[in-house]
Amino acid sequence: MLMIKKHRGRRVIVLSELAMDARQIGLALEAFDKVYGRYPDSSTIAPVLKASGTRLLLGNSSSNAIFRQLMVTGIVKDESIFSADTGAAIQPDNAFKTDETMLAHRECAFAYIPGFDSTCDWGTPLAFGPIVPGTTTLDFRIYGGKAFVLRRDMSVIAYPVTKAGKLSYNGLDLLDPRQPFWHGKAPDVKWPK
């Protein structure tokens, strides 16, 4: 995602770090899909445990828990792609050998929408952020009132965030079941903890 900023009185285009991180998450999801036949969700926990031999807890109660599957498989080797520089977030420490340290509380800034694979509609949102840690609210203060959405086509698009912390797309909230990519069903969003 390109953003325009002023530097020494001139407009410069910069790539947002959060947009680059979202793209990295997308690439990891694609790599995971090639091995497990879908993006990580509750149905891939058992195969990941078996293949990886890990004794770490894997779950589906939060995006932190589901993204752990990308780490124990070795597809992602750095926690920092899941974070954002929010005032309440903690910087990832890349200590992920224990249940207490792998994508610990407030180390993840992306919400995740499980239940999809690489055959879903191209425009389907898969992850978005930054989220105010411990909430279901987008942080509109950080990126000029924008949040970044990773879509199935691996594009990362900035959408406006309302002051109430909701993402606006096509005049509706992004998570509204009336959005065409949800096909009338509310998405099962896994929020970061």
Side-chain angles (χ1 to χ4, degrees):
M1 168 59 33
L2 298 176
M3 299 183 78
I4 299 173
K5 291 190 174 185
K6 288 212 175 202
H7 178 68
R8 295 186 186 169
R10 296 175 50 194
R11 291 169 39 137
V12 239
I13 297 176
V14 295
L15 190 61
S16 163
E17 185 177 337
L18 193 70
M20 291 187 301
D21 289 344
R23 179 79 40 87
Q24 291 300 312
I25 292 170
L27 294 172
L29 293 173
E30 288 293 305
F32 189 94
D33 179 82
K34 283 181 176 31
V35 175
Y36 294 96
R38 62 184 303 105
Y39 302 137
D41 61 21
S42 60
S43 73
T44 57
I45 293 173
V48 166
L49 286 170
K50 184 176 181 183
S52 68
T54 187
R55 292 180 178 220
L56 293 171
L57 295 174
L58 301 180
N60 67 347
S61 62
S62 67
S63 57
N64 304 53
I66 291 179
F67 286 149
R68 281 177 163 214
Q69 293 183 54
L70 298 172
M71 299 194 71
V72 299
T73 57
I75 293 171
V76 173
K77 297 177 171 50
D78 184 347
E79 290 179 320
S80 67
I81 69 168
F82 302 109
S83 71
D85 190 14
T86 67
I90 60 172
Q91 290 304 307
D93 54 14
N94 277 324
F96 44 84
K97 302 292 183 203
T98 70
D99 289 321
E100 293 76 29
T101 59
M102 182 181 280
L103 283 176
H105 182 67
R106 295 179 24 221
E107 283 186 332
C108 182
F110 286 94
Y112 174 65
I113 304 167
F116 296 104
D117 60 33
S118 61
T119 65
C120 69
D121 296 343
W122 283 94
T124 303
L126 301 175
F128 57 92
I131 307 292
V132 177
T135 73
T136 58
T137 304
L138 285 137
D139 195 333
F140 69 90
R141 301 165 301 144
I142 300 174
Y143 295 101
K146 304 279 186 198
F148 295 95
V149 177
L150 167 68
R151 300 180 344 157
R152 159 56 190 100
D153 63 4
M154 295 300 118
S155 64
V156 178
I157 300 177
Y159 291 108
V161 176
T162 68
K163 290 198 177 190
K166 301 295 180 196
L167 232 162
S168 179
Y169 177 71
N170 287 337
L172 298 169
D173 184 275
L174 181 78
L175 304 176
D176 191 309
R178 294 176 290 175
Q179 294 285 9
F181 33 77
W182 304 134
H183 304 287
K185 225 175 119 181
D188 177 24
V189 180
K190 299 301 180 183
W191 300 95
K193 62 173 190 165

